[in-house]
mmCIF file of all heavy atoms in Angstrom:
data_model
loop_
_atom_site.group_PDB
_atom_site.id
_atom_site.type_symbol
_atom_site.label_atom_id
_atom_site.label_comp_id
_atom_site.label_asym_id
_atom_site.label_seq_id
_atom_site.Cartn_x
_atom_site.Cartn_y
_atom_site.Cartn_z
ATOM 1 N N ILE A 1 0.812 -1.213 0.005
ATOM 2 C CA ILE A 1 0.005 0.002 0.003
ATOM 3 C C ILE A 1 0.847 1.261 0.001
ATOM 4 O O ILE A 1 0.435 2.295 -0.502
ATOM 5 C CB ILE A 1 -0.974 -0.016 1.197
ATOM 6 C CG1 ILE A 1 -2.252 0.753 0.866
ATOM 7 C CG2 ILE A 1 -0.316 0.505 2.471
ATOM 8 C CD1 ILE A 1 -3.389 0.518 1.836
ATOM 9 N N LEU A 2 2.071 1.195 0.548
ATOM 10 C CA LEU A 2 2.914 2.377 0.569
ATOM 11 C C LEU A 2 3.525 2.667 -0.793
ATOM 12 O O LEU A 2 3.836 3.813 -1.119
ATOM 13 C CB LEU A 2 4.024 2.237 1.621
ATOM 14 C CG LEU A 2 3.572 2.362 3.074
ATOM 15 C CD1 LEU A 2 4.761 2.223 4.005
ATOM 16 C CD2 LEU A 2 2.906 3.719 3.314
ATOM 17 N N THR A 3 3.734 1.641 -1.583
ATOM 18 C CA THR A 3 4.223 1.893 -2.938
ATOM 19 C C THR A 3 3.111 2.309 -3.878
ATOM 20 O O THR A 3 3.368 2.770 -4.985
ATOM 21 C CB THR A 3 4.901 0.630 -3.505
ATOM 22 O OG1 THR A 3 4.005 -0.474 -3.403
ATOM 23 C CG2 THR A 3 6.172 0.325 -2.746
ATOM 24 N N GLY A 4 1.875 2.163 -3.407
ATOM 25 C CA GLY A 4 0.755 2.558 -4.244
ATOM 26 C C GLY A 4 0.373 1.478 -5.223
ATOM 27 O O GLY A 4 1.215 0.799 -5.779
ATOM 28 N N ASN A 5 -0.919 1.309 -5.398
ATOM 29 C CA ASN A 5 -1.377 0.356 -6.386
ATOM 30 C C ASN A 5 -1.059 0.906 -7.764
ATOM 31 O O ASN A 5 -1.456 2.004 -8.124
ATOM 32 C CB ASN A 5 -2.881 0.124 -6.234
ATOM 33 C CG ASN A 5 -3.400 -0.933 -7.176
ATOM 34 O OD1 ASN A 5 -3.519 -0.686 -8.363
ATOM 35 N ND2 ASN A 5 -3.705 -2.096 -6.664
ATOM 36 N N PHE A 6 -0.328 0.121 -8.567
ATOM 37 C CA PHE A 6 0.155 0.606 -9.846
ATOM 38 C C PHE A 6 -0.985 1.046 -10.754
ATOM 39 O O PHE A 6 -0.944 2.120 -11.360
ATOM 40 C CB PHE A 6 0.982 -0.471 -10.530
ATOM 41 C CG PHE A 6 2.223 -0.855 -9.780
ATOM 42 C CD1 PHE A 6 2.826 -2.076 -9.962
ATOM 43 C CD2 PHE A 6 2.779 0.026 -8.870
ATOM 44 C CE1 PHE A 6 3.983 -2.419 -9.272
ATOM 45 C CE2 PHE A 6 3.937 -0.280 -8.162
ATOM 46 C CZ PHE A 6 4.544 -1.531 -8.373
ATOM 47 N N VAL A 7 -2.019 0.226 -10.839
ATOM 48 C CA VAL A 7 -3.114 0.536 -11.757
ATOM 49 C C VAL A 7 -3.935 1.712 -11.257
ATOM 50 O O VAL A 7 -4.391 2.545 -12.042
ATOM 51 C CB VAL A 7 -4.000 -0.710 -11.962
ATOM 52 C CG1 VAL A 7 -5.149 -0.403 -12.918
ATOM 53 C CG2 VAL A 7 -3.175 -1.874 -12.488
ATOM 54 N N VAL A 8 -4.147 1.813 -9.935
ATOM 55 C CA VAL A 8 -4.912 2.923 -9.380
ATOM 56 C C VAL A 8 -4.231 4.246 -9.687
ATOM 57 O O VAL A 8 -4.887 5.218 -10.075
ATOM 58 C CB VAL A 8 -5.102 2.723 -7.859
ATOM 59 C CG1 VAL A 8 -5.646 4.010 -7.227
ATOM 60 C CG2 VAL A 8 -6.040 1.577 -7.575
ATOM 61 N N GLU A 9 -2.911 4.284 -9.537
ATOM 62 C CA GLU A 9 -2.200 5.521 -9.853
ATOM 63 C C GLU A 9 -2.327 5.848 -11.346
ATOM 64 O O GLU A 9 -2.438 7.025 -11.715
ATOM 65 C CB GLU A 9 -0.716 5.372 -9.487
ATOM 66 C CG GLU A 9 -0.466 5.398 -7.994
ATOM 67 C CD GLU A 9 1.013 5.480 -7.664
ATOM 68 O OE1 GLU A 9 1.829 5.629 -8.599
ATOM 69 O OE2 GLU A 9 1.354 5.391 -6.489
ATOM 70 N N TYR A 10 -2.334 4.843 -12.164
ATOM 71 C CA TYR A 10 -2.454 5.070 -13.603
ATOM 72 C C TYR A 10 -3.846 5.577 -13.954
ATOM 73 O O TYR A 10 -3.981 6.494 -14.778
ATOM 74 C CB TYR A 10 -2.160 3.774 -14.355
ATOM 75 C CG TYR A 10 -2.045 3.925 -15.843
ATOM 76 C CD1 TYR A 10 -0.892 4.442 -16.434
ATOM 77 C CD2 TYR A 10 -3.087 3.579 -16.675
ATOM 78 C CE1 TYR A 10 -0.776 4.593 -17.799
ATOM 79 C CE2 TYR A 10 -2.999 3.723 -18.055
ATOM 80 C CZ TYR A 10 -1.842 4.234 -18.616
ATOM 81 O OH TYR A 10 -1.748 4.391 -19.974
ATOM 82 N N VAL A 11 -4.894 5.008 -13.308
ATOM 83 C CA VAL A 11 -6.265 5.423 -13.591
ATOM 84 C C VAL A 11 -6.482 6.888 -13.218
ATOM 85 O O VAL A 11 -7.101 7.654 -13.969
ATOM 86 C CB VAL A 11 -7.270 4.518 -12.842
ATOM 87 C CG1 VAL A 11 -8.685 5.096 -12.917
ATOM 88 C CG2 VAL A 11 -7.250 3.111 -13.411
ATOM 89 N N PHE A 12 -5.964 7.301 -12.055
ATOM 90 C CA PHE A 12 -6.172 8.668 -11.589
ATOM 91 C C PHE A 12 -5.063 9.621 -12.012
ATOM 92 O O PHE A 12 -5.035 10.773 -11.564
ATOM 93 C CB PHE A 12 -6.300 8.673 -10.066
ATOM 94 C CG PHE A 12 -7.590 8.067 -9.571
ATOM 95 C CD1 PHE A 12 -7.616 6.788 -9.082
ATOM 96 C CD2 PHE A 12 -8.773 8.781 -9.610
ATOM 97 C CE1 PHE A 12 -8.792 6.213 -8.605
ATOM 98 C CE2 PHE A 12 -9.951 8.233 -9.146
ATOM 99 C CZ PHE A 12 -9.969 6.935 -8.664
ATOM 100 N N ASN A 13 -4.135 9.141 -12.856
ATOM 101 C CA ASN A 13 -3.065 9.973 -13.381
ATOM 102 C C ASN A 13 -2.253 10.612 -12.252
ATOM 103 O O ASN A 13 -1.966 11.825 -12.267
ATOM 104 C CB ASN A 13 -3.616 11.059 -14.301
ATOM 105 C CG ASN A 13 -2.548 11.679 -15.187
ATOM 106 O OD1 ASN A 13 -1.573 11.026 -15.550
ATOM 107 N ND2 ASN A 13 -2.699 12.945 -15.520
ATOM 108 N N ILE A 14 -1.886 9.792 -11.279
ATOM 109 C CA ILE A 14 -1.079 10.262 -10.153
ATOM 110 C C ILE A 14 0.389 10.043 -10.502
ATOM 111 O O ILE A 14 0.791 8.928 -10.852
ATOM 112 C CB ILE A 14 -1.448 9.502 -8.866
ATOM 113 C CG1 ILE A 14 -2.907 9.761 -8.519
ATOM 114 C CG2 ILE A 14 -0.532 9.902 -7.710
ATOM 115 C CD1 ILE A 14 -3.415 8.931 -7.365
ATOM 116 N N PRO A 15 1.221 11.071 -10.399
ATOM 117 C CA PRO A 15 2.627 10.941 -10.797
ATOM 118 C C PRO A 15 3.471 10.219 -9.749
ATOM 119 O O PRO A 15 4.482 10.739 -9.276
ATOM 120 C CB PRO A 15 3.068 12.397 -10.972
ATOM 121 C CG PRO A 15 2.214 13.154 -10.014
ATOM 122 C CD PRO A 15 0.881 12.457 -10.030
ATOM 123 N N GLY A 16 3.071 8.994 -9.407
ATOM 124 C CA GLY A 16 3.821 8.189 -8.454
ATOM 125 C C GLY A 16 4.649 7.130 -9.164
ATOM 126 O O GLY A 16 4.668 7.053 -10.390
ATOM 127 N N ILE A 17 5.301 6.289 -8.366
ATOM 128 C CA ILE A 17 6.125 5.255 -8.977
ATOM 129 C C ILE A 17 5.264 4.173 -9.626
ATOM 130 O O ILE A 17 5.733 3.453 -10.510
ATOM 131 C CB ILE A 17 7.072 4.620 -7.943
ATOM 132 C CG1 ILE A 17 6.289 4.011 -6.779
ATOM 133 C CG2 ILE A 17 8.078 5.628 -7.448
ATOM 134 C CD1 ILE A 17 7.148 3.242 -5.809
ATOM 135 N N GLY A 18 4.016 4.055 -9.200
ATOM 136 C CA GLY A 18 3.129 3.071 -9.820
ATOM 137 C C GLY A 18 2.862 3.395 -11.271
ATOM 138 O O GLY A 18 2.923 2.532 -12.144
ATOM 139 N N ARG A 19 2.597 4.669 -11.544
ATOM 140 C CA ARG A 19 2.351 5.074 -12.933
ATOM 141 C C ARG A 19 3.617 4.911 -13.763
ATOM 142 O O ARG A 19 3.557 4.499 -14.928
ATOM 143 C CB ARG A 19 1.851 6.511 -12.994
ATOM 144 C CG ARG A 19 1.331 6.917 -14.359
ATOM 145 C CD ARG A 19 0.927 8.349 -14.406
ATOM 146 N NE ARG A 19 2.065 9.253 -14.306
ATOM 147 C CZ ARG A 19 1.991 10.577 -14.475
ATOM 148 N NH1 ARG A 19 0.829 11.147 -14.724
ATOM 149 N NH2 ARG A 19 3.080 11.326 -14.371
ATOM 150 N N SER A 20 4.755 5.225 -13.166
ATOM 151 C CA SER A 20 6.023 5.048 -13.900
ATOM 152 C C SER A 20 6.240 3.588 -14.243
ATOM 153 O O SER A 20 6.726 3.262 -15.339
ATOM 154 C CB SER A 20 7.191 5.560 -13.044
ATOM 155 O OG SER A 20 7.062 6.940 -12.777
ATOM 156 N N PHE A 21 5.863 2.689 -13.319
ATOM 157 C CA PHE A 21 6.028 1.256 -13.575
ATOM 158 C C PHE A 21 5.138 0.788 -14.720
ATOM 159 O O PHE A 21 5.581 0.055 -15.617
ATOM 160 C CB PHE A 21 5.711 0.474 -12.303
ATOM 161 C CG PHE A 21 5.805 -1.020 -12.480
ATOM 162 C CD1 PHE A 21 7.032 -1.667 -12.438
ATOM 163 C CD2 PHE A 21 4.663 -1.799 -12.678
ATOM 164 C CE1 PHE A 21 7.123 -3.037 -12.593
ATOM 165 C CE2 PHE A 21 4.743 -3.156 -12.848
ATOM 166 C CZ PHE A 21 5.983 -3.787 -12.804
ATOM 167 N N VAL A 22 3.878 1.230 -14.722
ATOM 168 C CA VAL A 22 2.943 0.811 -15.772
ATOM 169 C C VAL A 22 3.392 1.319 -17.132
ATOM 170 O O VAL A 22 3.408 0.575 -18.125
ATOM 171 C CB VAL A 22 1.515 1.295 -15.449
ATOM 172 C CG1 VAL A 22 0.569 1.000 -16.607
ATOM 173 C CG2 VAL A 22 0.997 0.615 -14.174
ATOM 174 N N THR A 23 3.765 2.585 -17.205
ATOM 175 C CA THR A 23 4.188 3.137 -18.497
ATOM 176 C C THR A 23 5.507 2.520 -18.959
ATOM 177 O O THR A 23 5.743 2.381 -20.163
ATOM 178 C CB THR A 23 4.333 4.663 -18.407
ATOM 179 O OG1 THR A 23 5.232 5.001 -17.329
ATOM 180 C CG2 THR A 23 2.996 5.320 -18.153
ATOM 181 N N SER A 24 6.358 2.149 -18.017
ATOM 182 C CA SER A 24 7.652 1.564 -18.395
ATOM 183 C C SER A 24 7.475 0.193 -19.042
ATOM 184 O O SER A 24 8.310 -0.229 -19.860
ATOM 185 C CB SER A 24 8.567 1.441 -17.166
ATOM 186 O OG SER A 24 8.048 0.500 -16.238
ATOM 187 N N ILE A 25 6.411 -0.523 -18.691
ATOM 188 C CA ILE A 25 6.163 -1.831 -19.305
ATOM 189 C C ILE A 25 5.874 -1.670 -20.783
ATOM 190 O O ILE A 25 6.434 -2.362 -21.640
ATOM 191 C CB ILE A 25 5.019 -2.555 -18.587
ATOM 192 C CG1 ILE A 25 5.402 -2.891 -17.150
ATOM 193 C CG2 ILE A 25 4.650 -3.837 -19.329
ATOM 194 C CD1 ILE A 25 4.296 -3.505 -16.334
ATOM 195 N N GLY A 26 4.983 -0.728 -21.107
ATOM 196 C CA GLY A 26 4.671 -0.490 -22.520
ATOM 197 C C GLY A 26 5.830 0.083 -23.283
ATOM 198 O O GLY A 26 5.990 -0.174 -24.479
ATOM 199 N N ASN A 27 6.690 0.860 -22.616
ATOM 200 C CA ASN A 27 7.833 1.475 -23.268
ATOM 201 C C ASN A 27 9.083 0.605 -23.277
ATOM 202 O O ASN A 27 10.111 1.007 -23.814
ATOM 203 C CB ASN A 27 8.174 2.811 -22.569
ATOM 204 C CG ASN A 27 7.100 3.857 -22.759
ATOM 205 O OD1 ASN A 27 6.357 3.836 -23.736
ATOM 206 N ND2 ASN A 27 6.999 4.770 -21.809
ATOM 207 N N ARG A 28 8.984 -0.558 -22.620
ATOM 208 C CA ARG A 28 10.140 -1.447 -22.472
ATOM 209 C C ARG A 28 11.325 -0.726 -21.815
ATOM 210 O O ARG A 28 12.488 -0.907 -22.191
ATOM 211 C CB ARG A 28 10.585 -2.009 -23.829
ATOM 212 C CG ARG A 28 9.607 -3.003 -24.421
ATOM 213 C CD ARG A 28 10.256 -3.770 -25.548
ATOM 214 N NE ARG A 28 9.373 -4.808 -26.062
ATOM 215 C CZ ARG A 28 9.768 -5.770 -26.891
ATOM 216 N NH1 ARG A 28 11.027 -5.813 -27.297
ATOM 217 N NH2 ARG A 28 8.937 -6.685 -27.328
ATOM 218 N N ASP A 29 10.987 0.084 -20.849
ATOM 219 C CA ASP A 29 12.023 0.808 -20.089
ATOM 220 C C ASP A 29 12.489 -0.118 -18.972
ATOM 221 O O ASP A 29 12.076 -0.008 -17.808
ATOM 222 C CB ASP A 29 11.441 2.104 -19.534
ATOM 223 C CG ASP A 29 12.531 3.091 -19.172
ATOM 224 O OD1 ASP A 29 13.695 2.660 -19.032
ATOM 225 O OD2 ASP A 29 12.229 4.297 -19.041
ATOM 226 N N TYR A 30 13.395 -1.025 -19.308
ATOM 227 C CA TYR A 30 13.802 -2.085 -18.387
ATOM 228 C C TYR A 30 14.382 -1.570 -17.073
ATOM 229 O O TYR A 30 14.079 -2.120 -16.008
ATOM 230 C CB TYR A 30 14.806 -3.014 -19.072
ATOM 231 C CG TYR A 30 14.262 -3.730 -20.294
ATOM 232 C CD1 TYR A 30 15.097 -4.182 -21.301
ATOM 233 C CD2 TYR A 30 12.880 -3.936 -20.440
ATOM 234 C CE1 TYR A 30 14.606 -4.839 -22.431
ATOM 235 C CE2 TYR A 30 12.387 -4.588 -21.557
ATOM 236 C CZ TYR A 30 13.238 -5.029 -22.548
ATOM 237 O OH TYR A 30 12.726 -5.666 -23.656
ATOM 238 N N PRO A 31 15.237 -0.542 -17.062
ATOM 239 C CA PRO A 31 15.753 -0.061 -15.783
ATOM 240 C C PRO A 31 14.664 0.398 -14.828
ATOM 241 O O PRO A 31 14.778 0.197 -13.603
ATOM 242 C CB PRO A 31 16.682 1.093 -16.193
ATOM 243 C CG PRO A 31 17.100 0.778 -17.572
ATOM 244 C CD PRO A 31 15.896 0.140 -18.207
ATOM 245 N N VAL A 32 13.605 1.026 -15.332
ATOM 246 C CA VAL A 32 12.505 1.470 -14.458
ATOM 247 C C VAL A 32 11.758 0.268 -13.904
ATOM 248 O O VAL A 32 11.394 0.229 -12.717
ATOM 249 C CB VAL A 32 11.545 2.409 -15.239
ATOM 250 C CG1 VAL A 32 10.366 2.798 -14.357
ATOM 251 C CG2 VAL A 32 12.292 3.637 -15.714
ATOM 252 N N ILE A 33 11.521 -0.740 -14.753
ATOM 253 C CA ILE A 33 10.838 -1.948 -14.288
ATOM 254 C C ILE A 33 11.640 -2.614 -13.185
ATOM 255 O O ILE A 33 11.104 -2.989 -12.136
ATOM 256 C CB ILE A 33 10.616 -2.930 -15.462
ATOM 257 C CG1 ILE A 33 9.708 -2.301 -16.530
ATOM 258 C CG2 ILE A 33 10.021 -4.242 -14.960
ATOM 259 C CD1 ILE A 33 9.557 -3.159 -17.772
ATOM 260 N N MET A 34 12.934 -2.766 -13.411
ATOM 261 C CA MET A 34 13.779 -3.436 -12.421
ATOM 262 C C MET A 34 13.917 -2.597 -11.157
ATOM 263 O O MET A 34 13.892 -3.129 -10.040
ATOM 264 C CB MET A 34 15.156 -3.737 -13.031
ATOM 265 C CG MET A 34 15.102 -4.837 -14.082
ATOM 266 S SD MET A 34 16.736 -5.347 -14.706
ATOM 267 C CE MET A 34 17.163 -3.942 -15.732
ATOM 268 N N GLY A 35 14.035 -1.287 -11.293
ATOM 269 C CA GLY A 35 14.191 -0.426 -10.126
ATOM 270 C C GLY A 35 12.980 -0.451 -9.218
ATOM 271 O O GLY A 35 13.105 -0.582 -7.998
ATOM 272 N N THR A 36 11.782 -0.346 -9.802
ATOM 273 C CA THR A 36 10.571 -0.368 -8.980
ATOM 274 C C THR A 36 10.319 -1.754 -8.394
ATOM 275 O O THR A 36 9.820 -1.859 -7.263
ATOM 276 C CB THR A 36 9.363 0.060 -9.837
ATOM 277 O OG1 THR A 36 9.318 -0.709 -11.055
ATOM 278 C CG2 THR A 36 9.443 1.541 -10.192
#
């Protein structure tokens, strides 16, 4: 809960690490995926 639900942050357009993780999957941004 402290890292935030990834999809919830994406739905509400919250600039947290959850949204970064979701967008990094589509962008194949491997360092972001591994870091989160």
Side-chain angles (χ1 to χ4, degrees):
I1 210 167
L2 287 181
T3 53
N5 184 287
F6 297 157
V7 180
V8 168
E9 287 189 6
Y10 189 78
V11 169
F12 289 101
N13 196 31
I14 298 173
I17 58 173
R19 191 183 69 172
S20 298
F21 178 81
V22 174
T23 55
S24 67
I25 295 175
N27 293 334
R28 290 195 176 192
D29 199 342
Y30 299 155
V32 177
I33 298 174
M34 290 186 286
T36 51

